[in-house]
Amino acid sequence: MGLTLTGVGVGPGDPELLTLKAVRVLREADAVFVPVMDRPTADGDAPPGRAEATVAAHVTADRLHRLPFALDDRGGITARRERAWDDAARAVVAAFDGGARSVAFATIGDPNVYSTFGYLAHGVRARRPAVEVRTVPGVTAMQELAARSGVPLCEGREPLTLLPATAGLALFADALAGPGTVVAYKGWRRHPELVAELRRQGRLDAAVLGRALGLPGERIGPVDADADADDLPYLSTLLIPAHRDRRGGKL
C-alpha cells in the first residue's frame, strides 16, 4: 500500500452532514489534520476551528493535529500565506516520514470548492511526488442553506453561479443580471456593497442569508439591509434564487 493524502469534506458545520465514507476515512487514517487560524492557533488551548469542531464528533481529540493557515489573509499570495502553506506541507510530510501510510485533512464544505486542501496537496506533492492525493466530497454551505431555507438552488434550465464576494462587485453584479440563481460566499466586509447591488437589481427581497451554518450561533433568514458587516462571520453564505413565476416555468 502506498502513501495517501485524502481531503475530506466535512460539510458546513453540522456533524450529522458527514457522509459515511467521510467518517470511515477519518477513522481509518493514521493521522487527521485540521486547518486553524495561524494566530493564535498553534496554542492547544485555542478554540477549535469549524472543521475541527465538526470532526471531533467522529474522531477522538488525541488523533487530531492542527495545521495553522493564514485563513484571514486578504492580500493574495503573501509571504505569510506561503509560509503557512509550506509549514503545513512539511507537517504532513513529517507524518509520512514518521510511519503514517494514510493521512486525512478535514476541510469544511467540499475539498474541491474554495478549499485550503488544494494548496496543501500541492505542497505535499512537491515534496513527496509518490503520495497519492484523493478527495471525499462534502456537503457545501449553499446546499445546506437551500435545505434549511426551503429555497431550491436551481430548476429546469436555470444556471447556478457560485462566487466568492472577495472576487469583487462586478462579477456579483453580472451574475445577478443573468437568468439563474446566484450564491455568494465570504460576504463579510463587502456585505453593504452586496446589499446595495441586490437593491439596485430588485433582488433583495428574495435573498436569503446564512450565518454560522450548523453552529450554535446560526442565523438563517432574509437579508438585513442594515446589518453591520462586523456582525457577519467570514464564512457567511448569500443565496439569491432565480426569478420564478410559476411551477415548472423553467423547464
Side-chain angles (χ1 to χ4, degrees):
M1 176 182 174
L3 306 179
T4 61
L5 169 63
T6 306
V8 181
V10 299
D14 184 347
E16 292 187 333
L17 289 181
L18 270 72
T19 65
L20 295 175
K21 184 172 184 177
V23 172
R24 177 181 62 78
V25 169
L26 290 169
R27 288 177 175 171
E28 292 179 353
D30 295 320
V32 178
F33 289 91
V34 292
V36 290
M37 292 287 292
D38 62 344
R39 52 180 190 230
T41 56
D43 182 357
D45 294 329
R50 188 178 297 200
E52 182 177 355
T54 304
V55 172
H58 304 282
V59 177
T60 56
D62 60 300
R63 298 188 58 241
L64 297 179
H65 309 279
R66 292 180 170 183
L67 288 181
F69 287 93
L71 300 175
D72 63 342
D73 195 324
R74 295 179 291 137
I77 304 178
T78 62
R80 173 187 167 214
R81 180 165 274 165
E82 287 202 312
R83 183 169 56 252
W85 290 343
D86 290 340
D87 289 346
R90 281 192 285 267
V92 171
V93 168
F96 285 126
D97 291 345
R101 307 297 295 175
S102 62
V103 170
F105 178 80
T107 177
I108 59 171
D110 183 281
N112 295 300
V113 180
Y114 299 128
S115 171
T116 305
F117 178 69
Y119 310 124
L120 174 64
H122 183 277
V124 172
R125 278 192 180 114
R127 291 164 174 80
R128 293 291 186 277
V131 172
E132 180 182 358
V133 175
R134 304 172 179 173
T135 57
V136 175
V139 174
T140 62
M142 66 176 176
Q143 292 170 293
E144 171 70 330
L145 181 56
R148 299 294 304 281
S149 64
V151 178
L153 282 172
C154 37
E155 297 180 351
R157 294 172 284 109
E158 293 173 355
L160 170 63
T161 301
L162 171 65
L163 50 82
T166 50
L169 187 61
L171 286 178
F172 181 69
D174 286 346
L176 285 181
T181 292
V182 178
V183 178
Y185 283 172
K186 308 176 184 179
W188 196 34
R189 298 187 188 279
R190 293 184 176 270
H191 184 71
E193 299 174 50
L194 303 182
V195 169
E197 187 60 30
L198 285 171
R199 182 181 287 112
R200 189 182 75 81
Q201 296 203 32
R203 306 286 295 273
L204 182 60
D205 290 345
V208 179
L209 181 65
R211 320 179 197 194
L213 292 171
L215 302 178
E218 171 188 271
R219 280 186 284 171
I220 298 172
V223 175
D224 182 358
D226 299 319
D228 187 341
D230 292 334
D231 186 44
L232 290 176
Y234 175 63
L235 295 174
S236 58
T237 302
L238 181 61
L239 167 61
I240 308 98
H243 294 294
R244 295 162 186 154
D245 54 5
R246 64 190 180 91
R247 183 177 62 181
K250 299 299 182 66
L251 292 174

